[in-house]
Amino acid sequence: MKILAIETSCDETAASVVENSKGAFEILSNAISSQEKVHAKYGGIVPEVAARLHVEKILPIIESALKTAKCNWKKIDYIAVTAGPGLVSSLMIGVETAKALAYAFNKPLLKVNHIEGHLISALTTYHSPLTFPAVALVVSGGHTQIILVKDYLKYKLIGETRDDAAGEAFDKAAKILGLGYPGGPAISREADKVKGKSSKLKVKLPRPMIKSNDFDMSFSGLKTAVLYAWRDTKKKSDEARAEMAREFQQAVIDVLISKTIKAAKEYNAKTLILGGGVAANSALRDALTDSAKKESLELLIPDIKLTGDNAAMIGMAAYYHIKNKNFTEPFNLRADPQWELV
Ligand code: KG4
Ligand code: ZN
C-alpha cells in the first residue's frame, strides 16, 4: 500500500510517499521545502508570505516526492493531507491540492491531524506492535501535550501547557538572548558550547509547575524569568549567553521529563513516545533516554529528520486511518486551523 502525503500546516511545504507492508513502514521519499530563511528576516512566520510560498512550491514538491519514490499516480493507492491544526492560509494550500488530486485521479482521501502525525513519527524505526498503554510527549512550536495512547488512534489528553508551547518558549528565549530565529536549534547550539562545564553565572531559573499535582505545564513565566535574568546580567559575554541558554533549556527539559514520567507511572504505561519539533533537541533526547531506562520504559524517539514538520509522519498516521476506513469525501474537506486531536 502506497500513500502520498501532503503537509503545509506552517512554513514547510512537504510531500512524501510512504509504504506499509505487513505493518512495517518504509519512507520512499520525504521532500521538504523549508521557508525558514525567508521568515528569519522577520523574526517569525508571516502567514501571507507562507501561503504564497506554499502555492509556488506545492506541485514541484509533490512531483519530487513521486520521482524520488520512483512512483507515478497509478502506483499511489491513497492521498493523505494535514487538515489542522495550523495556520489556516497555509493549511488551505495543502488541503485544496489534495482534494483536487484525489478527485482527478480518483484516489481515496484522508485527513490527518498534524499533532497525530508528530505523535506517530517515532514509529518508523519500530516494527513490532506497540505495547499499550503508552504516554506520548508532543512538543512543537504550537503545542506541548502529554497524551495517553490507549491503542492505535485511541487518545486521551492528560496534560498540556496552560500558556506558551515549549517550542514557542525556545523561540522567545532565543530572541531575548539575541540568538535569532528559529530559537530552538540556536539555544541548543549555545547550550552545547558550555556543556558539562561548571557555571560561573550562578543563575537558577524556575521550573514552573514542576510540583503541581497534575500533568499541566506553563512556560510563559520562564520566558519572563530569562528576560529579567539576562537584563540583570552585568557582563553579557558569549559565555554568559551560552550559560543562560543552557539553564533555560535545562529548566524546560526538567519540567517536560518530570511531568511525562509522572504520567507514565500514574497510567501504568509500558511505552514512552516523543514527537514534535522540540524532539530534535539532543539534551531532551538524552535526558528522556536516561529517565526511560531508569523507569524500565520502552522509549520511541523519532529519527531527527522526522522531528520537524514533514509529510512522512502524515502518511504514517494515515495508514492507521486507512485500516479504520476513515475516508473523507473531497468536496466535504475543509482546513480546520483549530482542530484538536483530543
Ligand atoms: O513541530 P514543529 O516543526 O512545528 C510546529 O508544529 O510547531 O516545531 C517547531 C518548533 C520551533 O519552536 C523550534 O524552535 C523548535 O520546534 N525546535 C527546537 C529544536 N529544533 C526545533 N527546540 C529545541 N531544540 C531544538 N533542537
Ligand atoms: Zn509541527
Side-chain angles (χ1 to χ4, degrees), residues 7 9-10 12 85 114-115 118 139-143 276-277 307-310 313:
E7 150 70 45
S9 67
C10 194
E12 258 92 31
H114 182 77
I115 299 303
H118 278 307
V139 263
S140 72
H143 286 75
T307 54
D309 291 347
N310 66 85
M313 67 182 192

Side-chain angles (χ1 to χ4, degrees), residues 248-306:
F248 166 79
Q249 175 174 277
Q250 197 53 51
V252 175
I253 291 174
D254 285 351
V255 174
L256 290 176
I257 295 211
S258 154
K259 294 282 172 169
T260 307
I261 296 293
K262 194 167 113 177
K265 283 182 178 166
E266 170 84 18
Y267 289 92
N268 210 6
K270 308 280 181 271
T271 316
L272 281 185
I273 303 173
L274 180 65
V278 184
N281 187 279
S282 55
L284 173 63
R285 295 168 80 92
D286 292 349
L288 197 58
T289 304
D290 287 350
S291 300
K293 202 179 274 170
K294 224 176 272 166
E295 302 296 336
S296 305
L297 291 161
E298 179 146 30
L299 175 64
L300 275 68
I301 285 194
D303 191 291
I304 290 274
K305 287 198 289 291
L306 299 179

Side-chain angles (χ1 to χ4, degrees), residues 7-75:
E7 150 70 45
T8 63
S9 67
C10 194
D11 62 340
E12 258 92 31
T13 319
S16 165
V17 179
V18 173
E19 178 151 44
N20 192 298
S21 57
K22 296 186 195 122
F25 287 110
E26 193 179 346
I27 296 171
L28 302 180
S29 63
N30 192 18
I32 303 176
S33 168
S34 172
Q35 308 172 0
E36 202 173 277
K37 286 202 179 101
V38 179
H39 298 293
K41 280 187 258 171
Y42 307 102
I45 295 161
V46 184
E48 167 82 17
V49 175
R52 283 168 186 260
L53 290 171
H54 283 312
V55 171
E56 278 175 28
K57 288 285 180 326
I58 187 80
L59 292 179
I61 281 290
I62 291 172
E63 259 194 329
S64 154
L66 288 171
K67 201 172 161 198
T68 307
K70 297 190 174 53
C71 255
N72 54 30
W73 286 105
K74 268 197 200 129
K75 290 188 184 155

Side-chain angles (χ1 to χ4, degrees), residues 321-338:
H321 287 290
I322 292 166
K323 285 174 74 174
N324 268 21
K325 300 196 167 36
N326 294 341
F327 302 114
T328 299
E329 273 300 312
F331 289 114
N332 291 340
L333 181 59
R334 296 279 173 277
D336 185 353
Q338 314 285 356

Side-chain angles (χ1 to χ4, degrees), residues 5-305:
I6 297 170
E7 150 70 45
T8 63
S9 67
C10 194
D11 62 340
E12 258 92 31
T13 319
S16 165
V17 179
V18 173
E19 178 151 44
N20 192 298
S21 57
K22 296 186 195 122
F25 287 110
E26 193 179 346
I27 296 171
L28 302 180
S29 63
N30 192 18
I32 303 176
S33 168
S34 172
Q35 308 172 0
E36 202 173 277
K37 286 202 179 101
V38 179
H39 298 293
K41 280 187 258 171
Y42 307 102
I45 295 161
V46 184
E48 167 82 17
V49 175
R52 283 168 186 260
L53 290 171
H54 283 312
V55 171
E56 278 175 28
K57 288 285 180 326
I58 187 80
L59 292 179
I61 281 290
I62 291 172
E63 259 194 329
S64 154
L66 288 171
K67 201 172 161 198
T68 307
K70 297 190 174 53
C71 255
N72 54 30
W73 286 105
K74 268 197 200 129
K75 290 188 184 155
I76 297 294
D77 301 299
Y78 303 95
I79 296 177
V81 64
T82 307
L87 298 169
V88 68
S89 47
S90 286
L91 287 164
M92 277 169 65
I93 316 300
V95 166
E96 296 305 316
T97 306
K99 283 161 69 171
L101 292 171
Y103 182 70
F105 293 110
N106 199 20
K107 307 284 180 190
L109 178 64
L110 297 114
K111 62 170 183 175
V112 174
N113 184 293
H114 182 77
I115 299 303
E116 186 170 36
H118 278 307
L119 193 152
I120 264 160
S121 61
L123 267 60
T124 36
T125 43
Y126 193 81
H127 296 309
S128 39
L130 278 180
T131 317
F132 297 107
V135 161
L137 171 66
V138 179
V139 263
S140 72
H143 286 75
T144 301
Q145 296 188 326
I146 297 177
I147 297 167
L148 178 69
V149 187
K150 296 181 203 166
D151 201 340
Y152 292 107
L153 306 186
K154 287 209 170 67
Y155 311 115
K156 185 182 172 205
L157 181 69
I158 52 178
E160 66 181 333
T161 179
R162 293 189 182 169
D163 40 55
D164 292 357
E168 193 181 348
F170 267 93
D171 293 333
K172 287 175 177 168
K175 213 173 211 174
I176 293 166
L177 298 176
L179 294 172
Y181 172 88
I187 293 264
S188 174
R189 271 194 305 274
E190 278 300 297
D192 279 351
K193 291 181 189 166
V194 286
K195 192 177 172 186
K197 288 190 186 158
S198 61
S199 172
K200 287 183 198 145
L201 198 61
K202 304 273 178 274
V203 165
K204 183 81 181 163
L205 295 171
R207 270 61 178 161
M209 293 184 72
I210 200 160
K211 295 219 159 73
S212 74
N213 211 7
D214 53 22
F215 307 104
D216 283 347
M217 292 154 277
S218 161
F219 295 107
S220 123
L222 185 56
K223 161 199 73 191
T224 314
V226 173
L227 180 72
Y228 292 138
W230 189 237
R231 183 195 64 187
D232 297 342
T233 302
K234 288 201 179 66
K235 205 167 159 260
K236 293 185 174 52
S237 62
D238 288 350
E239 200 177 9
R241 183 178 287 107
E243 274 197 39
M244 192 68 81
R246 180 181 63 180
E247 172 62 10
F248 166 79
Q249 175 174 277
Q250 197 53 51
V252 175
I253 291 174
D254 285 351
V255 174
L256 290 176
I257 295 211
S258 154
K259 294 282 172 169
T260 307
I261 296 293
K262 194 167 113 177
K265 283 182 178 166
E266 170 84 18
Y267 289 92
N268 210 6
K270 308 280 181 271
T271 316
L272 281 185
I273 303 173
L274 180 65
V278 184
N281 187 279
S282 55
L284 173 63
R285 295 168 80 92
D286 292 349
L288 197 58
T289 304
D290 287 350
S291 300
K293 202 179 274 170
K294 224 176 272 166
E295 302 296 336
S296 305
L297 291 161
E298 179 146 30
L299 175 64
L300 275 68
I301 285 194
D303 191 291
I304 290 274
K305 287 198 289 291

